[in-house]
Structure formats: structure tokens, C-alpha cells
Coordinates of all heavy atoms in Angstrom, one line a residue:
H1226 N 19.7 2.8 24.3 CA 18.6 3.6 24.6 C 18.7 5.0 23.8 O 17.7 5.8 23.9 CB 18.5 4.0 26.1 CG 18.3 2.8 27.0 ND1 17.2 2.0 27.0 CD2 19.1 2.2 27.8 CE1 17.3 1.0 27.8 NE2 18.5 1.1 28.3
G1227 N 19.8 5.3 23.2 CA 20.0 6.6 22.6 C 20.6 7.6 23.6 O 21.2 8.6 23.2
V1228 N 20.3 7.4 24.8 CA 20.8 8.3 26.0 C 21.3 7.4 27.0 O 20.5 6.5 27.5 CB 19.6 9.3 26.5 CG1 20.2 10.0 27.7 CG2 19.2 10.1 25.4
G1229 N 22.5 7.5 27.5 CA 23.1 6.6 28.5 C 22.9 7.0 29.9 O 22.9 6.2 30.8
A1230 N 22.7 8.4 30.1 CA 22.5 8.9 31.4 C 21.3 9.8 31.5 O 21.0 10.5 30.4 CB 23.8 9.6 31.9
A1231 N 20.7 9.9 32.6 CA 19.5 10.7 32.8 C 19.6 11.5 34.1 O 20.0 10.9 35.1 CB 18.3 9.9 32.7
A1232 N 19.1 12.6 34.1 CA 19.0 13.4 35.3 C 18.0 12.9 36.3 O 16.9 12.4 35.8 CB 18.8 14.9 35.0
L1233 N 18.2 13.0 37.6 CA 17.3 12.7 38.6 C 16.7 14.0 39.1 O 17.4 14.8 39.7 CB 17.9 11.9 39.7 CG 17.1 11.6 40.9 CD1 15.9 10.6 40.5 CD2 17.8 10.9 42.0
R1234 N 15.5 14.3 38.7 CA 14.8 15.6 39.2 C 13.5 15.3 40.0 O 12.7 14.6 39.5 CB 14.5 16.4 37.9 CG 15.6 17.0 37.2 CD 15.3 18.1 36.4 NE 16.5 18.7 35.8 CZ 17.0 18.5 34.6 NH1 16.3 17.6 33.8 NH2 18.0 19.0 34.1
R1235 N 13.4 15.9 41.1 CA 12.3 15.7 42.0 C 11.9 14.3 42.2 O 10.7 13.9 42.0 CB 11.2 16.6 41.5 CG 11.5 18.1 41.5 CD 10.2 18.9 41.0 NE 10.7 20.1 40.5 CZ 10.9 20.3 39.2 NH1 10.6 19.4 38.3 NH2 11.3 21.5 38.7
G1236 N 12.9 13.4 42.3 CA 12.6 12.0 42.5 C 12.1 11.2 41.3 O 11.5 10.2 41.4
R1237 N 12.4 11.8 40.1 CA 11.9 11.2 38.9 C 13.1 11.0 37.9 O 13.9 11.9 37.7 CB 10.9 12.1 38.3 CG 10.3 11.6 37.0 CD 9.2 12.6 36.6 NE 8.9 12.3 35.1 CZ 7.9 12.9 34.6 NH1 7.2 13.8 35.2 NH2 7.7 12.6 33.3
C1238 N 13.2 9.9 37.3 CA 14.2 9.6 36.2 C 13.8 10.3 35.0 O 12.8 10.1 34.4 CB 14.4 8.1 36.0 SG 15.5 7.8 34.6
E1239 N 14.6 11.2 34.4 CA 14.3 12.0 33.2 C 14.5 11.1 31.9 O 14.2 11.4 30.9 CB 15.2 13.2 33.1 CG 14.8 14.2 34.1 CD 13.4 14.7 34.0 OE1 13.0 15.0 32.8 OE2 12.7 14.9 34.9
G1240 N 15.0 9.8 32.1 CA 15.2 8.9 31.0 C 13.9 8.2 30.7 O 13.5 8.2 29.6
C1241 N 13.3 7.5 31.8 CA 12.1 6.8 31.5 C 10.9 7.6 32.0 O 9.8 7.2 31.7 CB 12.2 5.5 32.2 SG 12.4 5.6 33.9
H1242 N 11.1 8.8 32.7 CA 10.0 9.7 33.2 C 9.2 9.0 34.2 O 7.9 9.3 34.3 CB 9.1 10.2 32.0 CG 10.0 10.9 31.0 ND1 10.5 12.2 31.2 CD2 10.4 10.5 29.7 CE1 11.2 12.5 30.1 NE2 11.1 11.6 29.2
L1243 N 9.7 8.0 34.9 CA 9.0 7.4 36.0 C 9.5 7.9 37.3 O 10.7 8.1 37.5 CB 9.2 5.9 35.9 CG 8.5 5.2 34.7 CD1 8.9 3.7 34.7 CD2 7.0 5.4 34.7
S1244 N 8.7 8.0 38.3 CA 9.1 8.4 39.6 C 9.7 7.2 40.4 O 9.1 6.1 40.3 CB 7.8 9.0 40.4 OG 7.5 10.2 39.8
L1245 N 10.7 7.4 41.1 CA 11.3 6.4 41.8 C 10.6 6.2 43.2 O 10.1 7.1 43.7 CB 12.8 6.8 42.1 CG 13.8 6.4 41.0 CD1 13.6 7.3 39.8 CD2 15.1 6.6 41.5
N1246 N 10.6 5.0 43.7 CA 9.8 4.6 44.9 C 10.7 5.2 46.0 O 11.9 5.5 45.9 CB 9.5 3.2 45.0 CG 10.8 2.3 45.0 OD1 11.7 2.6 45.6 ND2 10.6 1.2 44.3
T1247 N 10.1 5.2 47.2 CA 10.8 5.8 48.4 C 12.0 4.9 48.8 O 13.0 5.5 49.3 CB 9.8 5.9 49.6 OG1 9.2 4.7 49.8 CG2 8.8 7.0 49.3
V1248 N 11.9 3.7 48.6 CA 13.1 2.8 49.0 C 14.3 3.2 48.1 O 15.4 3.3 48.6 CB 12.8 1.3 48.8 CG1 13.9 0.4 49.0 CG2 11.6 1.0 49.8
D1249 N 14.1 3.3 46.8 CA 15.1 3.6 45.8 C 15.8 5.0 46.1 O 16.9 5.3 46.2 CB 14.7 3.6 44.3 CG 14.4 2.2 43.9 OD1 15.1 1.2 44.5 OD2 13.7 2.0 43.0
L1250 N 14.8 6.0 46.4 CA 15.2 7.3 46.8 C 16.0 7.3 48.1 O 17.1 8.0 48.2 CB 14.0 8.3 47.0 CG 13.4 8.7 45.7 CD1 12.1 9.5 46.0 CD2 14.4 9.5 44.8
A1251 N 15.7 6.5 49.1 CA 16.5 6.4 50.3 C 17.9 5.8 50.0 O 18.9 6.2 50.6 CB 15.7 5.6 51.4
R1252 N 17.9 4.8 49.2 CA 19.2 4.1 48.8 C 20.1 5.2 48.1 O 21.3 5.3 48.4 CB 18.9 3.0 47.9 CG 20.2 2.3 47.5 CD 19.9 1.1 46.5 NE 19.0 1.4 45.3 CZ 19.6 2.0 44.2 NH1 20.8 2.3 44.1 NH2 18.8 2.2 43.2
I1253 N 19.5 6.0 47.2 CA 20.3 7.0 46.5 C 20.8 8.1 47.5 O 21.9 8.6 47.5 CB 19.4 7.6 45.4 CG1 19.1 6.6 44.4 CG2 20.1 8.9 44.8 CD1 18.2 7.0 43.3
R1254 N 19.9 8.5 48.5 CA 20.4 9.4 49.5 C 21.5 8.9 50.3 O 22.4 9.7 50.6 CB 19.2 9.7 50.5 CG 18.4 10.9 50.0 CD 17.3 11.2 51.1 NE 16.1 11.7 50.5 CZ 14.9 11.0 50.4 NH1 15.0 9.8 50.8 NH2 14.0 11.5 49.7
A1255 N 21.5 7.7 50.5 CA 22.6 7.1 51.4 C 23.8 6.8 50.6 O 24.9 6.6 51.2 CB 22.0 5.8 52.1
A1256 N 23.8 6.7 49.3 CA 24.9 6.4 48.5 C 26.0 7.5 48.6 O 25.6 8.7 48.6 CB 24.5 6.2 47.1
P1257 N 27.3 7.2 48.5 CA 28.3 8.3 48.4 C 28.2 9.0 47.1 O 27.7 8.5 46.1 CB 29.6 7.4 48.5 CG 29.3 6.0 48.4 CD 27.8 5.8 48.6
P1258 N 28.7 10.3 47.1 CA 28.6 11.1 46.0 C 29.3 10.5 44.7 O 28.8 10.8 43.5 CB 29.2 12.4 46.3 CG 29.4 12.4 47.8 CD 29.3 11.0 48.3
D1259 N 30.2 9.7 44.8 CA 31.0 9.2 43.6 C 30.5 7.9 43.2 O 31.0 7.3 42.2 CB 32.5 9.1 44.0 CG 32.9 8.2 45.1 OD1 31.9 7.9 45.9 OD2 34.0 7.9 45.2
E1260 N 29.5 7.3 43.8 CA 28.9 6.0 43.5 C 28.0 6.2 42.1 O 27.3 7.1 42.0 CB 28.1 5.4 44.6 CG 27.6 4.0 44.2 CD 26.8 3.4 45.3 OE1 26.9 3.8 46.5 OE2 25.9 2.5 45.0
V1261 N 28.2 5.2 41.3 CA 27.4 5.2 40.0 C 26.1 4.7 40.3 O 26.0 3.4 40.7 CB 28.1 4.5 38.9 CG1 27.3 4.5 37.6 CG2 29.5 5.1 38.6
L1262 N 24.9 5.4 40.2 CA 23.7 4.9 40.4 C 22.9 4.8 39.1 O 23.1 5.4 38.1 CB 22.9 6.0 41.2 CG 23.6 6.3 42.6 CD1 23.0 7.6 43.2 CD2 23.5 5.2 43.5
R1263 N 22.0 3.7 39.1 CA 21.3 3.4 37.9 C 19.8 3.3 38.3 O 19.4 3.0 39.3 CB 21.7 2.1 37.3 CG 23.2 2.2 36.8 CD 23.7 1.0 36.2 NE 23.0 0.7 34.9 CZ 23.3 -0.4 34.2 NH1 24.2 -1.2 34.6 NH2 22.7 -0.6 33.2
C1264 N 19.0 3.7 37.2 CA 17.5 3.6 37.4 C 17.1 2.2 37.3 O 17.6 1.4 36.5 CB 16.8 4.5 36.3 SG 15.0 4.3 36.3
E1265 N 16.3 1.8 38.3 CA 15.8 0.4 38.3 C 14.9 0.0 37.1 O 14.8 -1.1 36.7 CB 15.0 0.1 39.7 CG 15.9 0.1 40.9 CD 17.0 -0.9 40.8 OE1 16.8 -2.1 40.4 OE2 18.2 -0.6 41.3
E1266 N 14.2 1.0 36.5 CA 13.3 0.7 35.4 C 14.0 0.7 34.1 O 13.8 -0.3 33.3 CB 12.2 1.8 35.5 CG 11.3 1.8 36.6 CD 10.5 0.5 36.8 OE1 10.0 0.0 35.8 OE2 10.3 0.1 38.0
C1267 N 14.7 1.7 33.7 CA 15.4 1.9 32.4 C 16.8 1.5 32.4 O 17.5 1.5 31.3 CB 15.2 3.3 31.8 SG 16.0 4.6 32.7
R1268 N 17.5 1.3 33.5 CA 18.8 1.0 33.7 C 19.8 2.1 33.3 O 21.0 1.8 33.1 CB 19.2 -0.4 33.0 CG 18.3 -1.5 33.4 CD 18.4 -1.9 34.9 NE 19.8 -2.2 35.3 CZ 20.2 -2.2 36.6 NH1 19.4 -1.7 37.5 NH2 21.4 -2.5 36.8
R1269 N 19.4 3.2 33.0 CA 20.3 4.4 32.7 C 21.0 4.8 33.9 O 20.6 4.7 35.0 CB 19.5 5.6 32.1 CG 18.9 5.3 30.7 CD 18.3 6.6 30.2 NE 17.8 6.4 28.8 CZ 16.6 6.1 28.5 NH1 15.7 6.0 29.4 NH2 16.2 6.0 27.2
I1270 N 22.1 5.5 33.7 CA 23.0 6.1 34.8 C 22.2 7.2 35.3 O 21.8 8.1 34.5 CB 24.3 6.4 34.3 CG1 25.1 5.2 33.8 CG2 25.1 7.1 35.4 CD1 26.4 5.5 33.1
L1271 N 22.0 7.3 36.6 CA 21.3 8.6 37.2 C 22.3 9.6 37.6 O 23.3 9.2 38.2 CB 20.5 8.1 38.4 CG 19.2 7.3 38.1 CD1 18.5 6.9 39.4 CD2 18.2 8.1 37.3
V1272 N 22.0 10.8 37.1 CA 22.9 11.9 37.5 C 22.2 12.8 38.6 O 21.1 13.3 38.3 CB 23.2 12.8 36.2 CG1 24.1 14.0 36.6 CG2 23.9 11.9 35.1
R1273 N 22.8 12.9 39.8 CA 22.1 13.6 40.8 C 22.4 15.1 40.5 O 23.6 15.5 40.2 CB 22.7 13.2 42.2 CG 22.3 11.8 42.5 CD 22.9 11.4 43.8 NE 24.2 10.7 43.5 CZ 24.9 10.0 44.3 NH1 24.4 9.9 45.6 NH2 26.0 9.4 44.0

């Protein structure tokens, strides 16, 4: 992709510029801080 990781800002992946749905956001909220999270659309690593 040219970029391997993307910031998660206001519920939106900065890699593909798509907003995450509420289910994905809830999963991310519940995930431990050291877990590697990925965007379901572009598969980039999400940085909280």
C-alpha cells in the first residue's frame, strides 16, 4: 500500500479514509492496548 500503518482518528482509518462501523469501533475499544489492530477495509495496521 505504500503505507503499512494508519492512524485511527475520530473513528476513521486515515489509510483508506473510511469510517469504521460501530461494531468495529466497539471491538477496538475492548481490545487491550498492546493488541495489533487492523482496518477491515484496507488491512493496514491501525494506530490508536
Side-chain angles (χ1 to χ4, degrees):
H1226 302 289
V1228 176
L1233 177 63
R1234 287 201 177 97
R1235 294 183 209 97
R1237 178 179 167 170
C1238 171
E1239 291 296 315
C1241 61
H1242 303 288
L1243 295 176
S1244 296
L1245 277 64
N1246 61 41
T1247 54
V1248 174
D1249 289 335
L1250 287 174
R1252 180 180 54 82
I1253 292 171
R1254 270 190 213 99
D1259 61 342
E1260 183 179 338
V1261 177
L1262 302 170
R1263 295 181 66 184
C1264 175
E1265 292 297 323
E1266 295 298 323
C1267 67
R1268 303 302 297 157
R1269 288 184 176 98
I1270 298 169
L1271 287 176
V1272 179
R1273 293 177 269 192

